[in-house]
Amino acid sequence: MACTRVANILFPKKGTDLAKWAVVACDQYTSEPKYWEEVETIVGDAPSTLRITLPEVYLEEDGVDERIENINTCMKQYLEKGILEELPKGMMLLERETGQVCSRKGIVMAFDLEAYDYKPGAVSLIRPTEKTVEERIPPRLKVRLGASVEVPHIMLLIDDPQRTIIEPLFEQMEQFECKYDVELMQNGGHLKGWFIPKGDVTDKIQEGLEKLADREAFRKKYRLEKDYPIVQFATGDGNHSMATAKAYWEQVKKNLTEEEQKDHPARFVLAEIVNIHDESLLIEAIYRVLFDVDPKHVLNAAKSFFEKNGATVTEGEVNEEGVQVFPWYAAETEGVFSVKNSKWSLPVASLQAFLDAYLKENPGAKIDYIHGLDTVKTLSAQKGNMGFYLPDPAKGDLFRGVIMDGVLPRKTFSMGSANEKRYYMEAKCIVK
């Protein structure tokens, strides 16, 4: 099934101050209320996505129900007063400069939630990269239940190493209408967007995306010896936003006929696709540090764990294809162990499987997930601590890991800092 659609995009009417309209994704700066207080000051009384989203910093605060009621009221007002206007069917081509060497390029379009599943063991064309924490859905669903509009911050990744789909569009920008060219608040960088009306260009985009789901090309790309379920899109950011949209759609469709379900607006969610090979996307490993452990005990437990799971463990580095190598650090010592024939396709998946088992059996031990090797070494130098280094994941291997292992372990990789996350701009109706 084709899971992409040209969208009925809602966009602020001409004359709207887009620098105040666009705010960063609501799941950022969740421990920094001062950031959101500054956003309030910047926005003032101007139309803004701040008024139709709920920053998650406020999720646990008193008065959240009143906030949600105000959000839903504001959505209706923006529609009734024409602050949000519906564009002709189409897509939006984006370019975002955030201070990286290269700008990030993407396309906003609609996606069929029937082609997405966040449940463990999912075989859908659109899948999460990491495990979805279902407990995070209900409070977000509460916001959506009374909503008439969505302004999602979802980023879906495609694996297009030859850069055949998104990148060539920037050679023909002159034929598209520039809808925005705006400096984003709070160090968010610069955002440009061009509207692509439904037609030959959008058809070609969809055809290119469909080729990513070609069975033979899929097997060859990922070096698969058997037929695994195809992954066409993987969530890079905003998976819990997408999971909430899915949960909402499951509720809505219960009261619809099959015919009504086909084109109901709640069935389709807006998202930006980005090529995982976009040079602006820096995929960095997240390291692990154990606390209150005996390193010798950990290493013996690792050897036992992997051998019970059919692998061979060797102390020291083994430089062979298919062998996963794990450098470790502890107080006044360091070392390496190698795992051959691991049942998990990515090193991070193998290591996390072991650490989960170890922590379950040793409840006195604790774990933290660390950015930066220097920090790992500093923490690991303290007695009773032990750190593990992981290589940065190869971009193509992220998809292969989702294909072969189902989902990636939590904290597999980081992709950009908070100010680089999506800012809300486009919207879409979710009610008839």
Side-chain angles (χ1 to χ4, degrees):
M1 71 186 272
C3 54
T4 63
R5 294 287 190 280
V6 289
N8 295 103
I9 294 173
L10 294 171
F11 195 75
K13 70 178 181 181
K14 191 173 181 179
T16 302
D17 186 344
L18 297 181
K20 295 182 178 181
W21 172 261
V23 302
V24 78
C26 65
D27 60 349
Q28 300 303 306
Y29 302 101
T30 54
S31 300
E32 300 176 57
K34 186 176 179 182
Y35 174 93
W36 291 102
E37 290 168 9
E38 290 171 353
V39 174
E40 284 277 358
T41 301
I42 293 168
V43 168
D45 295 328
S48 176
T49 52
L50 180 64
R51 305 300 172 211
I52 53 176
T53 56
L54 177 62
E56 294 184 7
V57 69
Y58 303 126
L59 265 183
E60 305 299 325
E61 287 196 359
D62 293 338
V64 68
D65 289 341
E66 185 179 351
R67 282 183 181 273
I68 293 172
E69 187 176 335
N70 290 338
I71 287 167
N72 294 334
T73 298
C74 190
M75 288 179 178
K76 292 174 184 175
Q77 289 176 346
Y78 282 3
L79 291 172
E80 291 169 358
K81 294 180 179 180
I83 292 171
L84 276 171
E85 300 176 335
E86 189 169 279
L87 302 177
K89 286 194 173 189
M91 301 177 182
M92 200 74 79
L93 179 66
L94 310 184
E95 183 176 36
R96 171 87 174 275
E97 296 175 359
T98 59
Q100 297 292 345
V101 175
C102 300
S103 59
R104 188 175 76 220
K105 300 171 176 63
I107 308 171
V108 170
M109 64 181 74
F111 293 83
D112 189 349
L113 289 166
E114 289 292 322
Y116 164 74
D117 192 354
Y118 57 83
K119 301 285 187 180
V123 295
S124 51
L125 289 172
I126 309 172
R127 269 181 258 169
T129 49
E130 297 183 355
K131 182 180 178 181
T132 303
V133 182
E134 294 195 42
E135 292 77 12
R136 294 181 62 184
I137 296 175
R140 290 154 182 80
L141 183 59
K142 195 173 183 180
V143 179
R144 199 174 182 92
L145 283 173
S148 50
V149 168
E150 66 170 11
V151 275
H153 58 265
I154 301 159
M155 181 193 292
L156 295 180
L157 300 174
I158 60 172
D159 187 3
D160 181 23
Q162 279 73 47
R163 296 172 169 81
T164 62
I165 300 169
I166 299 173
E167 292 79 0
L169 294 168
F170 285 84
E171 298 173 6
Q172 45 185 316
M173 287 186 301
E174 295 78 10
Q175 66 179 284
F176 309 134
E177 178 190 2
C178 182
K179 294 296 294 184
Y180 48 86
D181 186 346
V182 59
E183 194 73 17
L184 299 170
M185 69 173 73
Q186 298 284 70
N187 195 33
H190 199 88
L191 183 64
K192 296 180 184 178
W194 298 264
F195 181 69
I196 307 176
K198 178 178 169 59
D200 292 342
V201 177
T202 59
D203 288 347
K204 188 174 181 181
I205 292 169
Q206 289 181 286
E207 288 168 9
L209 293 172
E210 285 305 301
K211 288 179 182 177
L212 299 177
D214 177 79
R215 170 61 65 188
E216 286 307 310
F218 183 79
R219 288 187 64 167
K220 184 177 180 181
K221 180 193 288 186
Y222 299 111
R223 311 180 300 283
L224 304 175
E225 296 179 357
K226 63 178 183 178
D227 281 344
Y228 285 85
I230 289 171
V231 179
Q232 190 175 358
F233 302 94
T235 54
D237 270 329
N239 181 62
H240 286 89
S241 176
M242 192 151 184
T244 302
K246 173 73 170 182
Y248 175 70
W249 166 238
E250 291 298 322
Q251 288 195 21
V252 170
K253 78 177 189 180
K254 290 177 184 176
N255 300 315
L256 302 176
T257 66
E258 284 191 23
E259 192 62 31
E260 290 171 331
Q261 289 178 20
K262 289 180 182 178
D263 293 307
H264 194 282
R267 175 171 172 165
F268 304 95
V269 66
L270 275 185
E272 177 187 356
I273 61 165
V274 176
N275 187 1
I276 196 170
H277 298 279
D278 189 297
E279 292 176 357
S280 72
L281 291 187
L282 302 179
I283 308 295
E284 298 176 334
I286 300 175
Y287 310 124
R288 275 74 171 147
V289 176
L290 292 177
F291 301 86
D292 300 322
V293 297
D294 176 354
K296 288 184 179 178
H297 183 261
V298 173
L299 292 172
N300 287 334
K303 187 173 188 294
S304 174
F305 173 84
F306 287 114
E307 288 178 348
K308 284 179 181 177
N309 281 279
T312 303
V313 180
T314 304
E315 193 172 326
E317 183 172 351
V318 176
N319 189 17
E320 293 180 14
E321 186 176 351
V323 174
Q324 298 175 355
V325 179
F326 301 97
W328 56 269
Y329 306 90
E332 300 179 355
T333 184
E334 60 185 68
V336 177
F337 67 89
S338 301
V339 177
K340 186 175 183 178
N341 297 325
S342 173
K343 64 189 286 187
W344 294 276
S345 62
L346 298 183
V348 65
S350 299
L351 180 61
Q352 191 63 48
F354 159 63
L355 293 175
D356 285 344
Y358 184 84
L359 291 165
K360 186 176 181 180
E361 294 175 5
N362 297 273
K366 299 179 181 63
I367 191 171
D368 199 2
Y369 300 89
I370 305 296
H371 300 260
L373 185 57
D374 288 345
T375 305
V376 172
K377 289 183 176 180
T378 299
L379 290 171
S380 301
Q382 301 171 33
K383 189 174 181 180
N385 296 352
M386 184 178 188
F388 294 91
Y389 167 80
L390 287 160
D392 290 337
K395 289 186 172 183
D397 282 349
L398 291 178
F399 269 73
R400 193 167 189 268
V402 172
I403 293 161
M404 299 186 72
D405 296 337
V407 293
L408 303 176
R410 64 187 177 280
K411 304 291 185 181
T412 293
F413 63 92
S414 65
M415 191 173 65
S417 56
N419 67 305
E420 296 176 78
K421 302 299 183 180
R422 271 191 56 83
Y423 273 58
Y424 300 115
M425 182 63 80
E426 299 83 3
K428 186 180 77 65
C429 278
I430 58 173
V431 295
K432 280 200 168 182

